[in-house]
Amino acid sequence: MNFLDKLKQFRDYEGQLKWEGTFADYLELVKKNPIIAQSAHSRVYQMIISAGVSEKDGHKHYHFFDGQIYGLDEAIERLVEEYFHPAARRLDVKKRILLLMGPVSGGKSTIVTMLKRGLEKYSWTDEGALYAIKDCPMHEDPLHLIPPHLREDFFEETGIRVEGNLSPLNAMRLEKEYGGQIEDVPIERIFLSEDKRVGIGTFSPSDPKSQDIADLTGSIDFSTIAEYGSESDPRAYRFDGELNKANRGIMEFQEMLKCDEKFLWHLLSLTQEGNFKAGRFALISADELIIAHTNETEYRTFISNKKNEALHSRMIVMPVPYNLKVSDEEKIYEKLISESDVANVHIAPHALRTAATFSILTRLKESKSRGIDLIKKMRLYDGEIVEGYNAADIKELQHEFPDEGMSGIDPRYVINRISSAIIKKGVPSINALDILRSIKEGLDQHPSITEEDRTHYTEYIALARREYDELAKSEVQKAFVYSFEESAKTLMDNYLDNVEAYCNSNKIFDPITGDEVDPDEKLMRSIEEQIGISENAKKSFREEILIRISAYARKGKRFNYKSHERLKEAIQKKLFADLKDVVKITTSSKTPDETQLKRVNEVIARLVDEYGYNSTSANELLRYVGSLLNR
């Protein structure tokens, strides 16, 4: 199907969804499907839930935010469970302004944008369908037509509570155009759209001296006063402020805390009472979710001002910290790069992970717990197994500093430095060292980084490089060892056979001679020494391995060399130690012989075919690892 056919198909689909009828017809729809009469807060919550919810380790993951928000599961869960869910149930938090607070480029604006774009799409679905009085500039809820004295009867009949009063304009239209016959008032289905100013609004304050309150609440159309005779005639009023147009959906209030007081008082009335004052009319009802975002410094300044006390209790403040997981930070970079003009540049494996390692280290705080350094903490947060620590330790670490993640390097700085590295290098391929070098060079140009921060960040760059060195050596190790997994399995099986015989004081069967021999102490020690297991500690380490194997067997799980973190490290280091000399000679030789050249070409081919490198980055990796091994 070509693009023009798709346009036609969409127009046909749009025509099928359109609906018009009388208020009497609309009531029949409501009785069949009460969900169409839900509040704006409920609609947002149902939209999030409809995308799916999964649960892991007692925490909920909301799939609505997948693909755009990474590493903020706890903040999102708190946002949904502590604000959207109770607000959807008409609890008191519905009468609060939602304020997202966090560092720059932490995801606040992305969350708001996702909610706005999501509502637009959701209004096209059967579950998210909503209806309004036809030709109403505020897209008013049709149920406002029901007189107050009949609303209790309506609730008993349908279970639907009607909140809000009919706007002055529609009250006049009801009397003048329809003779008070509520059932004849035309109703239409509407589709939310920020571009068309239907149910979604955005307000951004400008110069307080020049900005008019009409931007929020609408204004008098002086050209019509002669026609209608009075400024208090609703037909002479333009209901085109952001509060008017955002009715039935969301209004994003940008830089709210920088706003003039007169703008904020309207929000107080709207959130607490569900109405606001406009022109020479009675209070105008509006059903909308007000969401604002700010950074911590602005928020602290705001609450320190006594004049703002009335607003304090009218806000629900939701912290949105930086992501603290390396794997999720890597996904953020991948997303930002995919949206840029450098998406076609080859970025070597582990390059983004190394950049992410640096970023996360800048956001973590040194733990007071003994034995936990930043690298271990980073690995624990990322879900890695660190010997000697469990889930309870992670939870304790996460509660040690409530403000952890509210400072550090932001993702956009790293993306800017990656872009700089690409342009500076001038080739369609960059690696981890190029990115770290660019990050370090950029620290002097960052306006908000202090001299003390710069010193710490330089140390974190060194730590990130050390982590990359291990990854690089491991990558080359795997590429040099033909069928690495099979080699590791063979070595592990041999080690475990000897460990079992040693712990049970048994002999071991030699498959070649057929004789019974003592366990191979030399083999076992050659592996254990790779991770610093002393002669005195070898017995307890070997017993620990057998206990782990037994635990896996009881659970019906298969034990392999990756099932025990330290054993995995020992097996890999042993295999690599056996090959180290080969790697050193092969990668550092300026004039490799035919055998060496063949070996190098095989390794490069494997790095390209199996590990995601291109020929340039594979050659750079080999040269770098060779230099590491020759130090």
Side-chain angles (χ1 to χ4, degrees):
M1 184 185 293
N2 64 38
F3 185 69
L4 291 177
D5 289 335
K6 289 181 179 179
L7 284 175
K8 183 178 181 303
Q9 188 183 60
F10 177 74
R11 280 197 303 272
D12 294 341
Y13 174 66
E14 189 177 23
Q16 293 169 15
L17 290 183
K18 285 182 178 176
W19 183 93
E20 284 190 23
T22 63
F23 182 70
D25 299 327
Y26 174 69
L27 280 186
E28 292 304 312
L29 290 181
V30 170
K31 288 174 183 177
K32 290 177 185 175
N33 186 18
I35 197 74
I36 65 176
Q38 66 187 325
S39 67
H41 291 77
S42 175
R43 189 170 293 105
V44 171
Y45 176 68
Q46 293 301 330
M47 170 190 72
I48 294 171
I49 296 300
S50 67
V53 186
S54 57
E55 195 162 333
K56 184 180 179 182
D57 300 328
H59 289 286
K60 290 181 179 178
H61 174 80
Y62 295 92
H63 297 286
F64 174 81
F65 299 94
D66 287 355
Q68 293 292 321
I69 300 292
Y70 299 99
L72 295 180
D73 278 5
E74 289 188 26
I76 294 293
E77 182 182 22
R78 188 164 59 245
L79 177 64
V80 175
E81 294 302 312
E82 294 182 18
Y83 183 79
F84 290 130
H85 191 183
R89 298 289 185 90
R90 299 178 185 272
L91 292 172
D92 210 46
V93 296
K94 180 187 175 185
K95 300 177 180 179
R96 306 287 182 270
I97 299 167
L98 175 60
L99 179 64
L100 305 181
M101 181 188 69
V104 293
S105 298
K108 305 183 298 297
S109 297
T110 305
I111 290 172
V112 177
T113 301
M114 288 192 73
L115 292 172
K116 292 196 293 186
R117 297 295 83 80
L119 264 186
E120 289 176 344
K121 292 179 182 176
Y122 191 59
S123 68
W124 286 78
T125 65
D126 292 339
E127 299 84 4
L130 71 159
Y131 300 78
I133 297 173
K134 190 177 180 183
D135 298 326
C136 171
M138 286 185 61
H139 326 292
E140 188 166 9
D141 185 348
L143 296 183
H144 284 183
L145 289 161
I146 299 175
H149 65 276
L150 292 178
R151 291 183 178 182
E152 194 61 39
D153 294 340
F154 183 73
F155 173 70
E156 290 177 6
E157 186 178 335
T158 63
I160 297 170
R161 290 194 182 278
V162 181
E163 295 180 345
N165 299 317
L166 197 61
S167 67
L169 179 62
N170 285 321
M172 175 177 280
R173 288 175 62 199
L174 175 62
E175 294 304 320
K176 292 198 172 186
E177 296 178 30
Y178 306 104
Q181 298 292 311
I182 292 172
E183 60 271 26
D184 295 336
V185 175
I187 309 297
E188 63 181 349
R189 180 173 179 178
I190 61 171
F191 303 96
L192 301 186
S193 169
E194 184 169 22
D195 291 341
K196 295 178 181 178
R197 302 190 76 202
V198 179
I200 297 175
T202 300
F203 181 81
S204 183
S206 57
D207 183 358
K209 295 177 182 177
S210 61
Q211 189 148 30
D212 191 348
I213 196 69
D215 294 342
L216 269 184
T217 61
S219 60
I220 296 169
D221 185 353
F222 290 100
S223 65
T224 62
I225 292 177
E227 180 183 351
Y228 298 120
S230 169
E231 290 183 16
S232 60
D233 189 309
R235 292 171 296 179
Y237 196 84
R238 288 196 294 255
F239 293 90
D240 59 356
E242 290 304 316
L243 293 181
N244 306 106
K245 293 300 183 181
N247 186 35
R248 313 296 301 285
I250 282 180
M251 192 191 85
E252 177 188 6
F253 210 122
Q254 298 177 348
E255 305 293 346
M256 187 186 80
L257 303 187
K258 293 179 180 176
C259 224
D260 190 79
E261 290 176 19
K262 64 182 178 182
F263 291 87
L264 299 179
W265 301 135
H266 283 285
L267 301 187
L268 278 178
S269 173
L270 180 58
T271 52
Q272 191 66 30
E273 308 298 335
N275 51 48
F276 63 93
K277 191 78 172 70
R280 299 179 180 181
F281 308 117
L283 292 168
I284 296 175
S285 297
D287 173 30
E288 56 198 78
L289 186 157
I290 297 178
I291 184 166
H293 40 91
T294 188
N295 60 49
E296 193 170 7
T297 304
E298 285 178 359
Y299 177 69
R300 300 297 171 205
T301 303
F302 177 78
I303 61 173
S304 64
N305 188 340
K306 293 290 184 184
K307 290 197 301 184
N308 298 323
E309 284 183 352
L311 271 168
H312 296 176
S313 61
R314 303 292 199 280
M315 291 180 182
I316 295 287
V317 181
M318 287 289 170
V320 182
Y322 283 134
N323 156 59
L324 295 177
K325 295 180 180 178
V326 171
S327 54
D328 284 324
E329 188 73 10
E330 195 175 356
K331 291 173 186 173
I332 293 173
Y333 299 157
E334 288 170 354
K335 183 194 87 167
L336 292 173
I337 288 171
S338 70
E339 296 168 352
S340 73
D341 293 335
V342 298
N344 61 331
V345 174
H346 172 76
I347 298 177
H350 309 302
L352 296 183
R353 183 172 185 82
T354 303
T357 297
F358 162 73
S359 296
I360 300 303
L361 289 173
T362 69
R363 300 168 190 171
L364 295 177
K365 296 197 173 186
E366 293 272 5
S367 174
K368 295 167 188 171
S369 302
R370 294 174 65 183
I372 293 264
D373 57 25
L374 284 182
I375 292 292
K376 283 181 182 175
K377 188 176 188 180
M378 177 188 76
R379 288 177 177 163
L380 284 167
Y381 277 12
D382 204 34
E384 291 185 40
I385 297 171
V386 177
E387 203 69 31
Y389 300 96
N390 54 35
D393 296 316
I394 298 172
K395 193 166 285 187
E396 188 178 324
L397 284 172
Q398 290 171 333
H399 288 96
E400 189 175 6
F401 300 104
D403 62 339
E404 191 169 51
M406 297 299 277
S407 61
I409 286 291
D410 64 277
R412 295 200 181 277
Y413 170 77
V414 175
I415 291 299
N416 292 342
R417 298 317 303 166
I418 291 173
S419 302
S420 177
I422 290 168
I423 293 165
K424 189 172 182 180
K425 196 173 181 186
V427 294
S429 174
I430 61 168
N431 58 38
L433 298 179
D434 296 324
I435 293 176
L436 287 181
R437 197 177 298 115
S438 182
I439 288 173
K440 188 173 183 179
E441 290 169 356
L443 293 179
D444 292 331
Q445 304 162 21
H446 201 297
S448 62
I449 293 179
T450 64
E451 194 60 44
E452 185 182 354
D453 287 338
R454 195 173 289 112
T455 302
H456 286 308
Y457 291 173
T458 303
E459 292 171 1
Y460 299 148
I461 289 172
L463 282 175
R465 179 168 179 172
R466 208 174 303 157
E467 288 292 294
Y468 172 69
D469 289 351
E470 293 304 313
L471 282 171
K473 286 189 283 188
S474 174
E475 201 88 308
V476 171
Q477 162 197 328
K478 292 175 187 175
F480 261 90
V481 179
Y482 183 73
S483 186
F484 175 76
E485 294 293 325
E486 194 59 38
S487 301
K489 182 179 181 300
T490 302
L491 183 59
M492 185 201 71
D493 288 342
N494 197 358
Y495 173 74
L496 293 181
D497 287 343
N498 282 279
V499 164
E500 187 175 4
Y502 169 85
C503 291
N504 294 327
S505 302
N506 291 335
K507 298 280 187 181
I508 194 167
F509 178 75
D510 190 318
I512 298 174
T513 64
D515 298 331
E516 285 190 339
V517 295
D518 290 328
D520 190 343
E521 186 65 24
K522 187 177 179 181
L523 169 73
M524 290 187 286
R525 292 301 295 142
S526 71
I527 292 172
E528 292 157 357
E529 284 169 352
Q530 299 296 326
I531 51 172
I533 302 295
S534 67
E535 185 70 28
N536 292 333
K538 69 181 184 182
K539 187 173 186 294
S540 60
F541 179 75
R542 293 169 187 177
E543 288 172 346
E544 179 191 325
I545 296 292
L546 287 186
I547 290 169
R548 181 73 64 89
I549 293 171
S550 175
Y552 267 67
R554 283 200 306 273
K555 295 175 182 176
K557 293 182 180 179
R558 186 176 180 82
F559 185 90
N560 61 43
Y561 86 99
K562 294 179 181 177
S563 302
H564 190 285
E565 189 64 26
R566 297 194 73 198
L567 178 59
K568 170 188 169 184
E569 183 184 352
I571 295 288
Q572 289 181 341
K573 284 186 174 180
K574 170 61 178 166
L575 283 173
F576 195 41
D578 294 344
L579 276 167
K580 188 174 285 189
D581 290 338
V582 178
V583 176
K584 281 166 66 176
I585 294 168
T586 308
T587 57
S588 62
S589 178
K590 292 181 180 178
T591 55
D593 59 32
E594 190 177 333
T595 306
Q596 291 171 345
L597 196 58
K598 183 183 177 184
R599 192 72 184 265
V600 166
N601 288 335
E602 286 177 355
V603 170
I604 289 173
R606 195 166 294 126
L607 287 170
V608 171
D609 295 340
E610 299 178 24
Y611 298 103
Y613 292 83
N614 66 5
S615 58
T616 303
S617 60
N619 272 291
E620 288 173 343
L621 176 72
L622 280 182
R623 284 198 299 272
Y624 181 63
V625 171
S627 71
L628 288 177
L629 297 176
N630 278 304
R631 286 176 188 173

